[in-house]
Amino acid sequence: MATVTITGANGAPVTLNVPAQATSLVSGFNSAIIAALGSTGNLVSQTLTGDTVPTPSTVPGAVNMLSIDTNPTGAITIPSGYQFVLLTDSTSGDSSAITVSGGSSSGATLMATRAAVVFQAGSGNDTYSAAGANDTIWGGSGTVTMNLAGTNGLVAGGSGDATFADHGTGTTVVAGSGNSLVFAAGTNGLAFTGGHATIVGGSSLESVVGGNSGSAETIYAGTGGIVFFGGSSATTFIGGSSASTVVGGSAAETIFGTDGSVTNFFGSSDGNLFIAGSGNETLNAAGSTGKNAFFAGSGADSLVAGSGDDTLLGGTGNATLTGGAGANTFIFTVGQGGGADLISDFSAADKLQIVGQSVSSVLATAQTVAGIGGAAVSATVTLSDNTKITFQGVSSLNNTNFS
Protein backbone atom coordinates (compact mmCIF):
# COMPACT_ATOMS: atom_id res chain seq x y z
CA MET A 1 0.00 0.00 0.00
CA ALA A 2 1.02 3.62 -0.59
CA THR A 3 -0.02 6.81 1.17
CA VAL A 4 -1.39 9.76 -0.84
CA THR A 5 -2.69 13.09 0.47
CA ILE A 6 -5.45 14.83 -1.49
CA THR A 7 -7.98 17.62 -1.04
CA GLY A 8 -11.02 16.40 0.89
CA ALA A 9 -14.22 17.77 2.42
CA ASN A 10 -14.16 21.52 3.15
CA GLY A 11 -10.72 21.72 1.58
CA ALA A 12 -9.09 19.75 4.39
CA PRO A 13 -6.30 17.35 3.40
CA VAL A 14 -7.19 13.67 3.44
CA THR A 15 -4.57 10.94 3.70
CA LEU A 16 -5.48 7.77 1.82
CA ASN A 17 -3.90 4.33 1.80
CA VAL A 18 -4.16 2.98 -1.74
CA PRO A 19 -2.53 0.18 -3.75
CA ALA A 20 0.85 1.24 -5.12
CA GLN A 21 -0.42 1.03 -8.70
CA ALA A 22 -3.22 3.49 -7.83
CA THR A 23 -1.03 6.37 -6.65
CA SER A 24 -0.90 7.99 -10.07
CA LEU A 25 -4.70 7.88 -10.38
CA VAL A 26 -5.24 9.46 -6.97
CA SER A 27 -2.55 12.06 -7.53
CA GLY A 28 -4.11 12.83 -10.90
CA PHE A 29 -7.48 13.39 -9.22
CA ASN A 30 -5.91 15.91 -6.86
CA SER A 31 -4.08 17.62 -9.71
CA ALA A 32 -7.37 17.96 -11.59
CA ILE A 33 -8.91 19.73 -8.59
CA ILE A 34 -5.98 22.14 -8.38
CA ALA A 35 -6.17 22.81 -12.11
CA ALA A 36 -9.92 23.48 -11.92
CA LEU A 37 -9.43 25.96 -9.09
CA GLY A 38 -6.77 27.92 -10.93
CA SER A 39 -5.90 31.18 -9.23
CA THR A 40 -9.45 32.43 -8.66
CA GLY A 41 -11.57 29.31 -8.11
CA ASN A 42 -13.34 28.52 -4.85
CA LEU A 43 -13.56 24.88 -3.72
CA VAL A 44 -17.01 24.14 -2.35
CA SER A 45 -16.77 20.69 -0.79
CA GLN A 46 -19.86 19.03 0.65
CA THR A 47 -20.36 15.68 2.36
CA LEU A 48 -23.08 13.15 1.70
CA THR A 49 -25.43 12.74 4.68
CA GLY A 50 -27.56 9.61 4.57
CA ASP A 51 -28.82 9.17 1.02
CA THR A 52 -29.35 12.86 0.30
CA VAL A 53 -26.96 14.57 -2.09
CA PRO A 54 -26.52 18.28 -1.24
CA THR A 55 -27.32 20.77 -3.97
CA PRO A 56 -24.12 21.98 -5.62
CA SER A 57 -23.22 25.64 -5.30
CA THR A 58 -24.13 28.01 -8.12
CA VAL A 59 -21.85 30.80 -6.92
CA PRO A 60 -19.66 32.05 -9.80
CA GLY A 61 -16.21 30.51 -9.65
CA ALA A 62 -17.31 27.65 -7.40
CA VAL A 63 -15.68 24.26 -7.95
CA ASN A 64 -18.06 21.71 -6.43
CA MET A 65 -16.86 18.49 -4.85
CA LEU A 66 -18.94 15.82 -3.13
CA SER A 67 -17.27 13.58 -0.53
CA ILE A 68 -18.84 10.22 0.31
CA ASP A 69 -17.33 8.51 3.33
CA THR A 70 -20.37 6.58 4.53
CA ASN A 71 -22.38 3.65 3.25
CA PRO A 72 -25.74 4.91 1.91
CA THR A 73 -28.69 2.54 1.88
CA GLY A 74 -29.53 3.10 -1.78
CA ALA A 75 -27.96 4.10 -5.08
CA ILE A 76 -26.68 7.68 -5.29
CA THR A 77 -27.19 9.80 -8.40
CA ILE A 78 -24.82 12.71 -8.89
CA PRO A 79 -26.67 15.82 -10.08
CA SER A 80 -25.29 18.16 -12.69
CA GLY A 81 -23.06 20.83 -11.18
CA TYR A 82 -20.58 18.66 -9.34
CA GLN A 83 -17.14 18.64 -10.93
CA PHE A 84 -15.58 16.15 -8.50
CA VAL A 85 -16.83 13.22 -6.44
CA LEU A 86 -14.62 11.36 -3.97
CA LEU A 87 -15.58 8.04 -2.36
CA THR A 88 -13.45 6.96 0.59
CA ASP A 89 -13.71 4.66 3.57
CA SER A 90 -11.43 6.30 6.09
CA THR A 91 -13.43 5.58 9.24
CA SER A 92 -15.88 2.71 9.02
CA GLY A 93 -13.90 0.01 7.27
CA ASP A 94 -17.18 -1.07 5.67
CA SER A 95 -16.68 -2.98 2.43
CA SER A 96 -20.38 -3.18 1.54
CA ALA A 97 -21.22 -2.38 -2.07
CA ILE A 98 -22.11 1.20 -2.93
CA THR A 99 -23.62 2.30 -6.25
CA VAL A 100 -23.09 5.78 -7.68
CA SER A 101 -24.68 6.93 -10.92
CA GLY A 102 -23.28 9.74 -13.00
CA GLY A 103 -26.79 10.65 -14.11
CA SER A 104 -26.84 13.70 -16.38
CA SER A 105 -23.66 15.19 -14.96
CA SER A 106 -21.12 16.15 -17.59
CA GLY A 107 -17.43 16.88 -17.27
CA ALA A 108 -17.32 15.39 -13.77
CA THR A 109 -14.44 13.38 -12.33
CA LEU A 110 -15.40 10.61 -9.91
CA MET A 111 -12.80 8.82 -7.82
CA ALA A 112 -13.20 5.84 -5.47
CA THR A 113 -10.51 4.45 -3.18
CA ARG A 114 -12.82 2.08 -1.31
CA ALA A 115 -13.77 -1.45 -2.29
CA ALA A 116 -16.95 -2.75 -3.93
CA VAL A 117 -17.92 0.52 -5.61
CA VAL A 118 -20.25 0.36 -8.62
CA PHE A 119 -20.09 3.37 -10.90
CA GLN A 120 -22.89 3.68 -13.45
CA ALA A 121 -22.10 6.27 -16.12
CA GLY A 122 -24.98 8.31 -17.44
CA SER A 123 -25.38 10.51 -20.48
CA GLY A 124 -22.58 12.91 -19.56
CA ASN A 125 -18.95 12.97 -20.62
CA ASP A 126 -17.31 12.03 -17.31
CA THR A 127 -14.19 10.36 -15.91
CA TYR A 128 -14.48 7.42 -13.49
CA SER A 129 -11.56 6.03 -11.50
CA ALA A 130 -11.60 3.20 -8.98
CA ALA A 131 -8.67 1.97 -6.91
CA GLY A 132 -10.24 -0.54 -4.53
CA ALA A 133 -10.92 -4.24 -4.76
CA ASN A 134 -13.87 -5.64 -6.75
CA ASP A 135 -14.89 -2.26 -8.17
CA THR A 136 -17.13 -2.00 -11.24
CA ILE A 137 -17.60 0.79 -13.79
CA TRP A 138 -20.48 0.61 -16.28
CA GLY A 139 -20.38 2.90 -19.30
CA GLY A 140 -23.32 4.95 -20.46
CA SER A 141 -24.34 6.86 -23.56
CA GLY A 142 -21.81 9.65 -23.04
CA THR A 143 -18.12 9.75 -23.89
CA VAL A 144 -16.36 8.47 -20.78
CA THR A 145 -12.92 7.64 -19.44
CA MET A 146 -12.75 4.65 -17.09
CA ASN A 147 -9.70 3.84 -14.98
CA LEU A 148 -9.17 0.84 -12.74
CA ALA A 149 -6.15 0.34 -10.48
CA GLY A 150 -7.39 -2.13 -7.85
CA THR A 151 -7.83 -5.89 -7.91
CA ASN A 152 -10.44 -8.01 -9.70
CA GLY A 153 -12.26 -5.03 -11.13
CA LEU A 154 -14.69 -4.87 -14.05
CA VAL A 155 -15.16 -2.07 -16.58
CA ALA A 156 -17.80 -2.35 -19.28
CA GLY A 157 -18.53 0.13 -22.03
CA GLY A 158 -21.95 1.37 -23.02
CA SER A 159 -23.25 2.86 -26.25
CA GLY A 160 -20.96 5.88 -26.04
CA ASP A 161 -17.29 6.13 -26.90
CA ALA A 162 -14.96 5.09 -24.10
CA THR A 163 -11.33 5.12 -23.06
CA PHE A 164 -10.34 2.33 -20.67
CA ALA A 165 -7.12 2.33 -18.66
CA ASP A 166 -6.33 -0.81 -16.71
CA HIS A 167 -3.58 -0.37 -14.11
CA GLY A 168 -4.85 -3.06 -11.77
CA THR A 169 -4.56 -6.80 -11.23
CA GLY A 170 -7.07 -9.25 -12.66
CA THR A 171 -9.16 -6.55 -14.38
CA THR A 172 -11.82 -7.52 -16.92
CA VAL A 173 -12.55 -4.97 -19.64
CA VAL A 174 -15.65 -5.35 -21.80
CA ALA A 175 -15.78 -2.81 -24.61
CA GLY A 176 -19.19 -1.46 -25.55
CA SER A 177 -20.83 -0.75 -28.88
CA GLY A 178 -19.14 2.63 -29.23
CA ASN A 179 -15.56 3.33 -30.22
CA SER A 180 -13.18 2.00 -27.56
CA LEU A 181 -9.54 2.71 -26.72
CA VAL A 182 -8.12 0.29 -24.15
CA PHE A 183 -4.77 0.74 -22.41
CA ALA A 184 -4.05 -2.70 -20.98
CA ALA A 185 -1.28 -1.73 -18.56
CA GLY A 186 -2.31 -3.99 -15.69
CA THR A 187 -1.42 -7.54 -14.70
CA ASN A 188 -3.35 -10.71 -15.63
CA GLY A 189 -6.05 -8.69 -17.35
CA LEU A 190 -8.72 -9.89 -19.77
CA ALA A 191 -10.31 -7.66 -22.42
CA PHE A 192 -13.32 -8.31 -24.66
CA THR A 193 -13.59 -6.00 -27.65
CA GLY A 194 -16.92 -4.65 -28.80
CA GLY A 195 -17.43 -2.07 -31.53
CA HIS A 196 -14.49 -0.37 -33.21
CA ALA A 197 -11.77 -1.10 -30.64
CA THR A 198 -8.09 -0.30 -30.24
CA ILE A 199 -6.11 -2.23 -27.61
CA VAL A 200 -2.68 -1.05 -26.43
CA GLY A 201 -0.77 -3.64 -24.42
CA GLY A 202 1.44 -2.89 -21.44
CA SER A 203 4.39 -4.49 -19.69
CA SER A 204 2.54 -7.64 -18.55
CA LEU A 205 0.91 -10.41 -20.53
CA GLU A 206 -2.76 -9.66 -21.26
CA SER A 207 -5.53 -11.71 -22.89
CA VAL A 208 -7.85 -10.13 -25.47
CA VAL A 209 -10.97 -11.69 -26.99
CA GLY A 210 -12.02 -10.19 -30.32
CA GLY A 211 -15.53 -9.01 -31.02
CA ASN A 212 -18.21 -10.01 -33.49
CA SER A 213 -19.55 -6.60 -34.42
CA GLY A 214 -17.89 -6.54 -37.81
CA SER A 215 -16.11 -3.29 -36.91
CA ALA A 216 -12.35 -3.10 -37.38
CA GLU A 217 -10.10 -3.75 -34.39
CA THR A 218 -6.48 -2.77 -33.79
CA ILE A 219 -4.27 -4.50 -31.22
CA TYR A 220 -0.87 -3.14 -30.19
CA ALA A 221 1.09 -5.71 -28.19
CA GLY A 222 3.21 -4.04 -25.52
CA THR A 223 6.40 -5.16 -23.87
CA GLY A 224 4.57 -7.92 -22.02
CA GLY A 225 2.85 -9.54 -25.00
CA ILE A 226 -0.80 -10.31 -25.72
CA VAL A 227 -2.81 -13.47 -26.24
CA PHE A 228 -5.52 -12.52 -28.75
CA PHE A 229 -8.54 -14.62 -29.71
CA GLY A 230 -10.05 -13.32 -32.94
CA GLY A 231 -13.76 -13.07 -33.65
CA SER A 232 -15.66 -12.12 -36.78
CA SER A 233 -14.23 -8.60 -36.85
CA ALA A 234 -11.22 -7.88 -39.05
CA THR A 235 -8.21 -7.21 -36.85
CA THR A 236 -4.87 -5.50 -37.30
CA PHE A 237 -2.30 -6.85 -34.83
CA ILE A 238 1.05 -5.13 -34.23
CA GLY A 239 3.59 -7.24 -32.39
CA GLY A 240 5.50 -5.97 -29.38
CA SER A 241 8.90 -6.71 -27.91
CA SER A 242 7.74 -9.93 -26.22
CA ALA A 243 6.14 -13.06 -27.61
CA SER A 244 2.43 -12.83 -28.47
CA THR A 245 -0.11 -15.37 -29.64
CA VAL A 246 -2.95 -14.77 -32.08
CA VAL A 247 -5.74 -17.32 -32.45
CA GLY A 248 -7.54 -16.29 -35.61
CA GLY A 249 -11.30 -16.05 -35.86
CA SER A 250 -13.55 -16.22 -38.89
CA ALA A 251 -12.28 -12.90 -40.26
CA ALA A 252 -8.85 -12.44 -41.80
CA GLU A 253 -6.17 -10.86 -39.63
CA THR A 254 -3.35 -8.52 -40.65
CA ILE A 255 -0.31 -9.08 -38.46
CA PHE A 256 2.68 -6.73 -38.44
CA GLY A 257 6.00 -7.63 -36.92
CA THR A 258 8.21 -5.10 -35.15
CA ASP A 259 11.88 -5.29 -34.24
CA GLY A 260 12.39 -8.13 -31.78
CA SER A 261 8.78 -9.32 -31.89
CA VAL A 262 7.69 -12.95 -31.98
CA THR A 263 4.08 -13.55 -33.02
CA ASN A 264 2.65 -17.06 -33.13
CA PHE A 265 -0.54 -17.57 -35.13
CA PHE A 266 -3.12 -20.37 -35.11
CA GLY A 267 -6.17 -20.38 -37.34
CA SER A 268 -8.04 -21.89 -40.27
CA SER A 269 -9.30 -18.83 -42.16
CA ASP A 270 -7.87 -17.77 -45.53
CA GLY A 271 -6.46 -14.39 -46.44
CA ASN A 272 -4.42 -13.59 -43.36
CA LEU A 273 -1.51 -11.21 -44.01
CA PHE A 274 1.82 -11.38 -42.19
CA ILE A 275 4.01 -8.33 -42.76
CA ALA A 276 7.54 -7.95 -41.44
CA GLY A 277 8.98 -4.48 -40.85
CA SER A 278 12.43 -3.00 -40.71
CA GLY A 279 13.69 -4.97 -37.70
CA ASN A 280 14.36 -8.61 -36.92
CA GLU A 281 11.05 -10.34 -36.28
CA THR A 282 9.46 -13.77 -36.27
CA LEU A 283 6.01 -14.33 -37.77
CA ASN A 284 5.18 -17.95 -37.08
CA ALA A 285 1.97 -19.34 -38.55
CA ALA A 286 2.96 -23.00 -38.41
CA GLY A 287 -0.36 -23.61 -36.64
CA SER A 288 -2.44 -22.24 -39.53
CA THR A 289 -4.30 -24.28 -42.11
CA GLY A 290 -5.58 -21.51 -44.41
CA LYS A 291 -4.10 -19.87 -47.49
CA ASN A 292 -2.10 -16.88 -46.29
CA ALA A 293 0.47 -14.35 -47.53
CA PHE A 294 3.80 -13.46 -45.91
CA PHE A 295 5.91 -10.39 -46.68
CA ALA A 296 9.54 -10.23 -45.59
CA GLY A 297 10.96 -6.84 -44.57
CA SER A 298 14.39 -5.28 -44.46
CA GLY A 299 15.70 -7.12 -41.41
CA ALA A 300 16.66 -10.67 -40.56
CA ASP A 301 13.14 -12.08 -40.54
CA SER A 302 11.77 -15.55 -39.94
CA LEU A 303 8.49 -16.24 -41.74
CA VAL A 304 6.86 -19.61 -41.13
CA ALA A 305 3.72 -20.65 -43.01
CA GLY A 306 1.33 -23.48 -42.12
CA SER A 307 -0.24 -26.38 -43.96
CA GLY A 308 -2.21 -24.29 -46.48
CA ASP A 309 -1.14 -23.20 -49.95
CA ASP A 310 0.68 -20.04 -48.94
CA THR A 311 2.50 -17.22 -50.71
CA LEU A 312 5.80 -15.93 -49.31
CA LEU A 313 7.43 -12.79 -50.71
CA GLY A 314 11.07 -11.90 -50.17
CA GLY A 315 12.08 -8.44 -48.95
CA THR A 316 15.27 -6.43 -48.91
CA GLY A 317 16.75 -8.10 -45.82
CA ASN A 318 18.02 -11.57 -45.01
CA ALA A 319 14.93 -13.69 -44.46
CA THR A 320 14.37 -17.33 -43.63
CA LEU A 321 11.21 -18.53 -45.36
CA THR A 322 9.45 -21.75 -44.37
CA GLY A 323 6.47 -22.71 -46.51
CA GLY A 324 5.03 -25.59 -44.53
CA ALA A 325 3.16 -28.60 -45.87
CA GLY A 326 1.10 -26.92 -48.62
CA ALA A 327 1.84 -26.15 -52.26
CA ASN A 328 3.52 -22.80 -51.71
CA THR A 329 4.73 -19.99 -53.96
CA PHE A 330 7.90 -18.03 -53.18
CA ILE A 331 8.06 -14.69 -54.97
CA PHE A 332 11.08 -12.43 -55.44
CA THR A 333 11.03 -9.14 -57.33
CA VAL A 334 14.24 -7.99 -58.96
CA GLY A 335 15.12 -4.47 -57.85
CA GLN A 336 13.40 -4.83 -54.50
CA GLY A 337 15.80 -7.33 -53.00
CA GLY A 338 19.53 -7.46 -52.52
CA GLY A 339 19.59 -9.62 -49.42
CA ALA A 340 20.45 -13.23 -48.72
CA ASP A 341 17.35 -15.38 -48.28
CA LEU A 342 16.98 -18.99 -47.20
CA ILE A 343 14.05 -21.22 -48.16
CA SER A 344 14.22 -23.94 -45.55
CA ASP A 345 11.78 -26.52 -46.94
CA PHE A 346 11.37 -26.06 -50.70
CA SER A 347 9.61 -29.14 -52.11
CA ALA A 348 8.43 -30.49 -55.46
CA ALA A 349 4.96 -29.09 -54.73
CA ASP A 350 6.31 -25.55 -54.32
CA LYS A 351 6.99 -22.96 -57.02
CA LEU A 352 9.49 -20.13 -57.36
CA GLN A 353 8.37 -16.96 -59.13
CA ILE A 354 10.93 -14.32 -60.15
CA VAL A 355 9.48 -10.99 -61.25
CA GLY A 356 11.73 -8.99 -63.59
CA GLN A 357 14.16 -11.71 -64.72
CA SER A 358 13.91 -14.73 -67.00
CA VAL A 359 13.98 -18.25 -65.64
CA SER A 360 16.89 -19.21 -67.89
CA SER A 361 19.09 -16.39 -66.63
CA VAL A 362 18.27 -17.31 -63.03
CA LEU A 363 19.11 -20.98 -63.60
CA ALA A 364 22.39 -19.95 -65.22
CA THR A 365 23.56 -18.71 -61.80
CA ALA A 366 22.70 -21.94 -59.97
CA GLN A 367 25.34 -23.44 -57.72
CA THR A 368 25.45 -25.93 -54.88
CA VAL A 369 26.87 -25.36 -51.41
CA ALA A 370 27.35 -27.68 -48.47
CA GLY A 371 26.57 -27.46 -44.78
CA ILE A 372 23.43 -25.30 -44.82
CA GLY A 373 21.22 -26.28 -41.91
CA GLY A 374 22.82 -29.70 -41.71
CA ALA A 375 21.97 -30.53 -45.34
CA ALA A 376 24.63 -32.26 -47.43
CA VAL A 377 24.10 -29.88 -50.34
CA SER A 378 21.83 -26.92 -51.05
CA ALA A 379 21.17 -25.12 -54.31
CA THR A 380 21.62 -21.36 -54.65
CA VAL A 381 20.72 -18.80 -57.29
CA THR A 382 21.73 -15.16 -57.52
CA LEU A 383 19.40 -12.59 -59.09
CA SER A 384 20.55 -9.62 -61.12
CA ASP A 385 20.07 -7.28 -58.13
CA ASN A 386 22.45 -9.53 -56.11
CA THR A 387 19.68 -11.20 -54.13
CA LYS A 388 20.97 -14.63 -53.18
CA ILE A 389 18.42 -17.40 -52.60
CA THR A 390 19.44 -20.66 -50.95
CA PHE A 391 17.24 -23.77 -51.13
CA GLN A 392 18.13 -25.84 -48.08
CA GLY A 393 18.49 -29.55 -48.86
CA VAL A 394 17.67 -29.12 -52.58
CA SER A 395 20.47 -30.46 -54.76
CA SER A 396 19.40 -28.87 -58.05
CA LEU A 397 16.75 -26.70 -59.70
CA ASN A 398 15.08 -26.89 -63.12
CA ASN A 399 12.31 -25.24 -65.11
CA THR A 400 9.59 -27.22 -63.34
CA ASN A 401 10.41 -25.46 -60.08
CA PHE A 402 9.36 -22.08 -61.54
CA SER A 403 5.96 -20.60 -62.29
Side-chain angles (χ1 to χ4, degrees), residues 37 70 81 97 103 105 113 119 165 182 202 257 347 372 400:
L37 288 172
T70 59
S105 65
T113 61
F119 279 133
V182 180
S347 71
I372 302 296
T400 63

Side-chain angles (χ1 to χ4, degrees), residues 66-390:
L66 176 66
S67 294
I68 302 176
D69 195 40
T70 59
N71 193 45
T73 59
I76 301 299
T77 298
I78 306 302
S80 180
Y82 276 105
Q83 289 96 330
F84 298 94
V85 178
L86 175 64
L87 287 80
T88 58
D89 187 23
S90 61
T91 57
S92 67
D94 189 355
S95 60
S96 300
I98 176 173
T99 300
V100 176
S101 172
S104 61
S105 65
S106 189
T109 300
L110 298 85
M111 176 81 209
T113 61
R114 59 175 290 165
V117 169
V118 178
F119 279 133
Q120 174 61 66
S123 59
N125 304 330
D126 300 321
T127 298
Y128 298 85
S129 300
N134 303 311
D135 292 327
T136 301
I137 306 175
W138 297 101
S141 57
T143 300
V144 296
T145 298
M146 296 182 274
N147 307 299
L148 272 182
T151 56
N152 301 322
L154 167 66
V155 284
S159 59
D161 296 345
T163 298
F164 306 84
D166 168 27
H167 301 277
T169 300
T171 300
T172 299
V173 177
V174 182
S177 58
N179 297 322
S180 299
L181 173 60
V182 180
F183 295 95
T187 303
N188 298 326
L190 173 62
F192 296 86
T193 64
H196 180 80
T198 299
I199 311 289
V200 181
S203 59
S204 296
L205 181 66
E206 300 281 330
S207 297
V208 179
V209 179
N212 296 300
S213 66
S215 298
E217 302 170 339
T218 303
I219 314 293
Y220 295 88
T223 57
I226 281 180
V227 178
F228 175 71
F229 299 88
S232 62
S233 298
T235 301
T236 298
F237 187 95
I238 297 94
S241 57
S242 293
S244 293
T245 298
V246 176
V247 180
S250 59
E253 322 283 359
T254 300
I255 299 176
F256 290 90
T258 58
D259 190 21
S261 67
V262 176
T263 304
N264 300 302
F265 178 85
F266 301 85
S268 58
S269 61
D270 294 333
N272 298 291
L273 303 179
F274 300 84
I275 304 171
S278 58
N280 304 328
E281 50 259 289
T282 297
L283 296 172
N284 179 13
S288 67
T289 59
K291 300 177 181 179
N292 304 310
F294 298 76
F295 299 81
S298 59
D301 304 316
S302 175
L303 306 183
V304 183
S307 60
D309 298 339
D310 301 303
T311 301
L312 297 89
L313 295 89
T316 59
N318 304 323
T320 298
L321 308 176
T322 302
N328 306 298
T329 301
F330 297 86
I331 301 176
F332 296 86
T333 300
V334 174
Q336 297 181 10
D341 297 308
L342 172 68
I343 300 177
S344 68
D345 64 343
F346 193 79
S347 71
D350 298 330
K351 295 295 181 180
L352 178 66
Q353 181 177 338
I354 306 299
V355 179
Q357 188 173 346
S358 67
V359 172
S360 60
S361 65
V362 173
L363 286 174
T365 69
Q367 298 179 352
T368 57
V369 295
I372 302 296
V377 294
S378 298
T380 69
V381 294
T382 301
L383 307 185
S384 59
D385 65 353
N386 293 319
T387 297
K388 182 178 181 180
I389 308 170
T390 299

